[in-house]
């Protein structure tokens, strides 16, 4: 698992190995807009401020990946904290 912090509120959500970031955020009451949930449409694209991202999407460029994550499919390094700009 790893943690996600919502920068605007400081809320920290634990992301278990079997759940996506989107699923875990929704369970914690944080709304997320998605469409494909498969890393191809970009609807869930979110800026991140810090963290070691394990990118699983099929559309972001290497430049985008420096500060953007598709939260329907990508993850962070186990044990780490990912801070989202939301
Ligand atoms: Fe389509 Fe995440 S919802 S890429």
């Amino acid at each position: 698992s790893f943690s996600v912090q919502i920068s605007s509120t400081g809320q920290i959500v634990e992301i278990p190995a079997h759940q996506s970031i989107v699923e875990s955020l929704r369970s914690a009451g944080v709304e997320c807009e998605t469409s494909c949930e498969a890393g191809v449409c970009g609807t869930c694209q979110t800026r991140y401020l810090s963290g070691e991202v394990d990118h699983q999407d099929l559309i972001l460029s290497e430049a985008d990946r420096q500060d953007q994550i598709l939260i329907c499919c990508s993850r962070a390094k186990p044990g780490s904290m990912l801070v989202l700009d939301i």
Side-chain angles (χ1 to χ4, degrees):
S1 68
F2 58 95
S3 305
V4 164
Q5 182 168 39
I6 311 300
S7 66
S8 61
T9 63
Q11 183 180 359
I12 294 173
V13 179
E14 191 72 15
I15 317 295
H18 62 279
Q19 270 195 342
S20 69
I21 295 177
V22 162
E23 288 168 338
S24 302
L25 289 183
R26 284 178 175 157
S27 296
V30 180
E31 281 185 38
C32 307
E33 199 180 330
T34 61
S35 180
C36 73
E37 303 212 358
V40 296
C41 75
T43 304
C44 68
Q45 186 169 330
T46 302
R47 196 166 105 88
Y48 67 93
L49 302 176
S50 66
E52 288 181 69
V53 177
D54 174 16
H55 291 282
Q56 300 287 335
D57 69 88
L58 300 170
I59 59 172
L60 292 182
S61 68
E62 280 309 311
D64 289 337
R65 288 179 175 190
Q66 301 310 306
D67 70 346
Q68 302 287 322
I69 177 174
L70 297 190
I71 57 172
C72 70
C73 58
S74 294
R75 309 187 62 80
K77 190 178 164 205
S80 72
M81 167 92 80
L82 173 67
V83 181
L84 296 180
D85 189 19
I86 56 176

